[in-house]
Amino acid sequence: MGTVVDAANKEANGSVAEKKPTVIFVLGGPGSGKGTQCANIVQHFGYTHLSAGDLLRAEIKSGSENGTMIQNMIKEGKIVPSEVTIQLLQKAIQENGNDKFLIDGFPRNEENRAAFEEVTKIEPEFVLFFDCSEEEMERRLLGRNQGREDDNIETIRKRFKVFLESSLPVVQYYESKGKVRKIDAAKPVEEVFEAVKAVFNTKDEKRRGMLWEYSNS
Ligand SMILES: Nc1ncnc2c1ncn2[C@@H]1O[C@H](COP(=O)(O)OP(=O)(O)O)[C@@H](O)[C@H]1O
Ligand SMILES: Nc1ccn([C@@H]2O[C@H](COP(=O)(O)OP(=O)(O)O)[C@@H](O)[C@H]2O)c(=O)n1
Ligand SMILES: [Mg+2]
């Protein structure tokens, strides 16, 4: 107790005893490059990557009682009820020894956002938002070749509609709180990652600055 690091944790989490994990939400339209960039962030910055879509697809494969419902929702590009997705995210966080997570593809609507906050009491440190044109995202999704049942033009159009109507308002909500770090995601993978690195390096510099100020006060 009483060290500089304790003080910083206390400031970030409210109290040392109830230390919560650091969470960064990674948002952007379908095919904007969330999964690709998360893999890079994991390599460089030591976060654990949790993709809501991957967790839901694993749940279908596991033969869970919700599997058929989830499969139908994904095929229609619809958003699975929060309680299902949040339970999967919470379990993944609890089972992992890391204390910093990239949550990719969540929250995708207001219900996701409010329920996660209510259940976990976790506020994201910031929201990484990958901004990309529909034309480019469509091209990427049709070329993704991961055998996904939702990467066909009919479902892609539905997913774009859901993104505009339900997911963008969540980005706007965090924008109003000054939490959005917007990245031009239409560029090549390496250039996008340069912009991502700048966001994470700035965050680390700010934290070092805070600790320095504290230790000199
Ligand atoms: N900056 C980029 N330029 C071109 N293709 C990309 C870029 N980022 C990702 N991709 C490709 O586009 C497809 C979708 O990327 P992915 O990371 O799965 O996006 P998301 O998780 O946002 O749907 C993949 O085939 C990926 O290899
Ligand atoms: N928070 C979430 C995330 C994904 N999903 C479902 O999973 C699908 C695929 O999500 P994903 O994040 O893997 O898709 P991409 O944006 O990576 O292409 C979505 O279209 C939804 O049907 C959901 O219901 N709720
Ligand atoms: Mg993805």
Side-chain angles (χ1 to χ4, degrees), residues 7-15 22 207 210:
N9 278 336
K10 193 167 181 174
E11 163 138 0
N13 299 300
S15 88
T22 298
R207 186 172 163 82
M210 252 174 56

Side-chain angles (χ1 to χ4, degrees), residues 8-138:
N9 278 336
K10 193 167 181 174
E11 163 138 0
N13 299 300
S15 88
V16 176
E18 298 169 31
K19 197 167 171 303
K20 294 197 192 94
T22 298
V23 162
I24 290 163
F25 288 147
V26 182
L27 302 180
S32 58
K34 300 181 293 297
T36 303
Q37 295 299 329
C38 281
N40 286 336
I41 300 166
V42 165
Q43 294 299 317
H44 268 73
F45 298 102
Y47 283 75
T48 293
H49 175 207
L50 299 179
S51 155
D54 286 352
L55 290 168
L56 290 167
R57 284 183 287 274
E59 190 67 0
I60 298 171
K61 277 212 186 111
S62 78
S64 110
E65 56 175 338
N66 282 323
T68 310
M69 179 274 288
I70 297 172
Q71 189 166 27
N72 290 334
M73 302 288 280
I74 289 183
K75 230 185 266 173
E76 286 303 309
K78 291 184 180 157
I79 298 168
V80 173
S82 299
E83 62 252 37
V84 173
T85 317
I86 290 172
Q87 204 213 341
L88 294 171
L89 286 169
Q90 258 196 317
K91 187 161 172 274
I93 291 172
Q94 280 157 7
E95 283 175 353
N96 195 289
N98 204 348
D99 63 352
K100 47 184 194 176
F101 296 87
L102 301 167
I103 300 192
D104 156 8
F106 182 99
R108 249 180 163 92
N109 62 9
E110 174 58 20
E111 189 217 3
N112 274 184
R113 185 201 66 72
F116 184 83
E117 206 176 291
E118 173 70 25
V119 171
T120 68
K121 313 286 181 210
I122 295 172
E123 271 269 331
E125 184 164 330
F126 60 84
V127 174
L128 207 51
F129 171 54
F130 291 116
D131 188 28
C132 194
S133 69
E134 271 193 17
E135 197 189 7
E136 175 64 16
M137 294 194 289
E138 182 179 307

Side-chain angles (χ1 to χ4, degrees), residues 97-190:
N98 204 348
D99 63 352
K100 47 184 194 176
F101 296 87
L102 301 167
I103 300 192
D104 156 8
F106 182 99
R108 249 180 163 92
N109 62 9
E110 174 58 20
E111 189 217 3
N112 274 184
R113 185 201 66 72
F116 184 83
E117 206 176 291
E118 173 70 25
V119 171
T120 68
K121 313 286 181 210
I122 295 172
E123 271 269 331
E125 184 164 330
F126 60 84
V127 174
L128 207 51
F129 171 54
F130 291 116
D131 188 28
C132 194
S133 69
E134 271 193 17
E135 197 189 7
E136 175 64 16
M137 294 194 289
E138 182 179 307
R139 202 173 11 247
R140 291 180 189 176
L141 292 174
L142 291 174
R144 181 151 58 179
N145 270 330
Q146 286 177 355
R148 276 178 50 172
E149 279 188 281
D150 56 346
D151 281 348
N152 59 79
I153 193 62
E154 203 186 319
T155 311
I156 288 170
R157 297 243 155 92
K158 291 181 181 165
R159 289 157 73 196
F160 284 162
K161 191 165 184 284
V162 168
F163 172 68
L164 288 178
E165 289 175 359
S166 304
S167 309
L168 268 184
V170 174
V171 177
Q172 283 154 2
Y173 167 85
Y174 285 116
E175 218 149 31
S176 74
K177 299 183 104 192
K179 288 208 166 181
V180 174
R181 309 289 180 266
K182 183 165 145 181
I183 306 279
D184 177 359
K187 293 179 176 164
V189 173
E190 298 72 25

